Amino acid sequence: MKTKNASSPISDDLKRRLADARRVGFFTGAGVSAESGIPTFRGDQGLWKRMKPEELANFDAFMRNPDLVWEWYQYRRKIVHDAGPNAAHRAIVEMEALFEVEVATQNVDNLHRRAGSTTVRELHGNIERNYCVECGTRHDDIEIGEKDAGAARCACGGLIRPDVVWFGEMLPQSEFTRAEDFAARADVYFVVGTSMVVYPAAYIPNTARVGGAYLVEVNVEPTEFSRVAAESYFGKAGEIMPRIAAAAREARNV
Ligand code: OAD
């Protein structure tokens, strides 16, 4: 592992890898959206410090207290709705001019797509989509009011839930498989803004490693993954990713 702080230059090793790379993958977590004003889950300011995941992010909790869970998701939808992509999301989009790029994200905030990324695997779903737990009808045009009138219901009478993966639920199989396929074939694989503690999503960078990708971490602090990465850049994704994109352009003579 080679560690670098926010002001370290992008290494010659990484530039060389980028010069030769065809496929570049990104595995992202809440940290990539932190500078957009969306709270992360862990750490002192994290959502799971104040909220209990078992009361808010699982199916039984929803059926027991749909209004509470719905209210929490409406609150998060509003934050996401009012937020916009930041420099890290945009730097990842810029890489599409240089490489075949895929983003596998644990985030449900849709910000990679809103920034313009064309291939995004949403491993934990998308907070802007919803469906009925009874009949499966999609309800993606839910209003986000300041005051909420409790859990929304479908015309069939069933409860409408967010299309996100809750604890104890399976990841969307096709998204996971496609993310694994790309990771296995990637030449360089970036792990950006994730604590890397939630599985099975966190297996994906390991698939990239087994496939021979050059692994690069970007995070404000060391994680379990820092021991595995070839290089770790410690600093804000919104500052480091644009510098990596600039280094990639330089390496490709663009
Ligand atoms: P976490 O909250 O666990 O981790 C966020 C990571 O981002 C931490 O390692 C921070 O150090 C880092 N970070 C914070 N600000 C940053 C910045 N500006 N630039 C770079 N890094 C920064 O979030 P995830 O790893 O995404 O799952 O959490 C994984 C899953 O746990 C989530 O998808 C969610 C949660 O429970 C479900 O809801 C199923």
Side-chain angles (χ1 to χ4, degrees):
M1 170 191 62
K2 296 178 195 163
T3 60
K4 304 181 186 308
N5 62 36
S7 53
S8 303
I10 306 306
S11 77
D12 289 340
D13 282 348
L14 178 53
K15 285 184 193 164
R16 265 193 297 276
R17 295 286 181 154
L18 290 169
D20 295 338
R22 276 187 55 203
R23 294 190 196 89
V24 175
F26 297 87
F27 181 81
T28 68
V32 82
S33 296
E35 289 153 82
S36 295
I38 299 175
T40 60
F41 293 94
R42 295 171 185 81
D44 286 347
Q45 307 295 318
L47 287 171
W48 293 154
K49 199 87 183 170
R50 292 180 283 133
M51 316 289 199
K52 291 201 171 81
E54 61 276 20
E55 281 172 17
L56 294 167
N58 77 61
F59 187 74
D60 290 342
F62 178 62
M63 295 313 278
R64 240 188 349 260
N65 197 345
D67 290 351
L68 174 74
V69 175
W70 186 255
E71 191 187 318
W72 193 59
Y73 276 91
Q74 286 290 68
Y75 159 75
R76 288 181 57 204
R77 277 188 197 101
K78 171 113 175 73
I79 294 175
V80 164
H81 182 261
D82 294 347
N86 66 49
H89 298 104
R90 288 192 290 273
I92 293 172
V93 178
E94 283 172 28
M95 302 276 205
E96 292 193 11
L98 309 173
F99 313 102
E100 190 186 330
V101 168
E102 263 201 37
V103 181
T105 188
Q106 299 163 92
N107 299 344
V108 297
D109 59 28
N110 209 24
L111 289 185
H112 284 299
R113 283 228 176 78
R114 281 169 59 192
S117 283
T118 49
T119 312
V120 183
R121 307 296 176 210
E122 292 175 324
L123 303 166
H124 290 164
N126 184 320
I127 202 169
E128 297 187 339
R129 294 193 308 250
N130 306 276
Y131 63 93
C132 171
V133 297
E134 295 294 337
C135 69
T137 300
R138 305 214 65 88
H139 295 270
D140 295 340
D141 50 356
I142 295 285
E143 273 203 33
I144 309 164
E146 289 291 333
K147 267 242 169 292
D148 207 32
R153 288 199 179 259
C154 180
C156 80
L159 285 163
I160 296 172
R161 64 163 282 178
D163 189 2
V164 299
V165 175
W166 280 331
F167 288 96
E169 293 183 329
M170 298 270 292
L171 270 55
Q173 193 58 46
S174 73
E175 296 292 273
F176 186 77
T177 307
R178 287 152 128 187
E180 286 263 281
D181 284 352
F182 190 88
R185 296 180 296 121
D187 301 305
V188 181
Y189 204 77
F190 290 92
V191 173
V192 187
T194 172
S195 56
M196 286 290 283
V197 296
V198 174
Y199 288 84
Y203 284 124
I204 293 170
N206 191 52
T207 301
R209 183 184 64 79
V210 173
Y214 190 72
L215 300 180
V216 181
E217 175 179 49
V218 177
N219 200 304
V220 288
E221 61 185 22
T223 69
E224 283 295 301
F225 191 69
S226 310
R227 291 186 291 119
V228 179
E231 303 187 30
S232 291
Y233 290 85
F234 295 123
K236 291 183 175 174
E239 290 168 14
I240 292 174
M241 292 313 297
R243 290 180 41 224
I244 290 177
R249 278 196 298 277
E250 188 192 313
R252 312 288 285 196
N253 296 315
V254 177

